[in-house]
Amino acid sequence: MTIGSHQRTVGKSQTHLTPPFIIHRLGPFDLDPCAALGQPWATAARHFTIEDDGLSQPWNGRVWLNPPFDRYQVGRWIEKLAEHGDGICLVHARTEADWFRPIWERADAILFLADRLHFHTIDGARQPANSGAPVVLAAFGKANAVRLACCGLPGFRVTENLRVGGCRSLREVELSHE
C-alpha cells in the first residue's frame, strides 16, 4: 500500500483532542477511556488516561472513544467498544483496514462527516491543519445510533438497514431507480 508523501502511517503525536462541539452534540457520556492527560475540557463524567491504561479497565455506561489513531493500537480499542456495545467512537475513515472491521460488522450506525475535523492540542488550541483524512463517528447501541441521527452534524449516515446482510436484491435496487 502506498500513501501520499504528506501522510504518515503513525502520527507524530497520538494526542488529538476531540473538538468540543462534537461532545456537545453527542453527549453526555459516562466514560472516556482514552482521555488525554491534562485535557482542558471534560469529554465524559469519568476519564481514564494513559496512566490508568483504559484498555485494561472495565468500561461502564455510555462510552466516548477517541482512540489513538496509531494503526497498531486502534483496533484493540474499537474491538473493546464493540464488545461493550454502548458508545460512540471517532476514527479516521480507513474502511479498508482490518481494525475497521468491528465497525462494519457491529456498529448500529456510522456517520461519515462531510468535512475534515480540526482537532485540538493539549492546551485547547485548534490545530492549524485539518485531520488529514476523513473522519467517521461509529455508534454501538441503538440509543447511540439515534444520537448520530439527531446530532445535526453534516455528513452521510449508514445504518444497519444498509448493511450487505440487510440489502434488497440487486434487481429490486435496479427497479427502484428506473
Side-chain angles (χ1 to χ4, degrees):
M1 172 175 74
T2 62
I3 59 177
S5 62
H6 65 286
Q7 295 179 325
R8 303 167 62 88
T9 59
V10 177
K12 292 179 184 178
S13 168
Q14 291 301 310
T15 304
H16 305 285
L17 302 183
T18 303
F21 75 91
I22 298 282
I23 300 300
H24 292 287
R25 296 278 184 103
L26 298 172
F29 292 94
D30 299 310
L31 174 66
D32 180 347
C34 279
L37 288 168
Q39 67 186 28
W41 53 80
T43 51
R46 213 166 115 227
H47 298 94
F48 293 142
T49 67
I50 195 166
E51 292 176 347
D52 303 309
D53 184 12
L55 201 54
S56 69
Q57 300 290 334
W59 293 4
N60 297 302
R62 189 165 180 255
V63 171
W64 169 252
L65 182 66
N66 176 356
F69 282 12
D70 178 336
R71 67 179 176 164
Y72 301 111
Q73 295 182 41
V74 68
R76 293 181 292 158
W77 293 96
I78 301 300
E79 184 62 37
K80 183 152 183 169
L81 181 58
E83 289 172 10
H84 177 67
D86 185 10
I88 297 176
C89 67
L90 181 156
V91 294
H92 280 137
R94 303 279 191 232
T95 59
E96 78 289 355
D98 286 339
W99 60 259
F100 203 88
R101 177 163 281 184
I103 293 172
W104 283 131
E105 293 175 349
R106 294 188 273 175
D108 291 286
I110 305 167
L111 178 62
F112 288 81
L113 295 179
D115 299 312
R116 291 187 181 184
L117 288 181
H118 285 257
F119 288 97
H120 291 255
T121 61
I122 194 63
D123 64 0
R126 183 178 187 249
Q127 291 279 5
N130 67 35
S131 63
V135 174
V136 300
L137 296 164
F140 294 86
K142 300 293 184 197
N144 291 303
V146 170
R147 293 253 187 178
L148 278 189
C150 299
C151 71
L153 293 170
F156 182 79
R157 192 170 46 91
V158 178
T159 65
E160 68 180 341
N161 295 330
L162 298 177
R163 289 189 199 161
V164 173
C167 282
R168 296 174 293 165
S169 73
L170 180 57
R171 183 66 189 138
E172 288 175 312
V173 171
E174 289 169 345
L175 288 173
S176 71
H177 290 292
E178 291 179 354

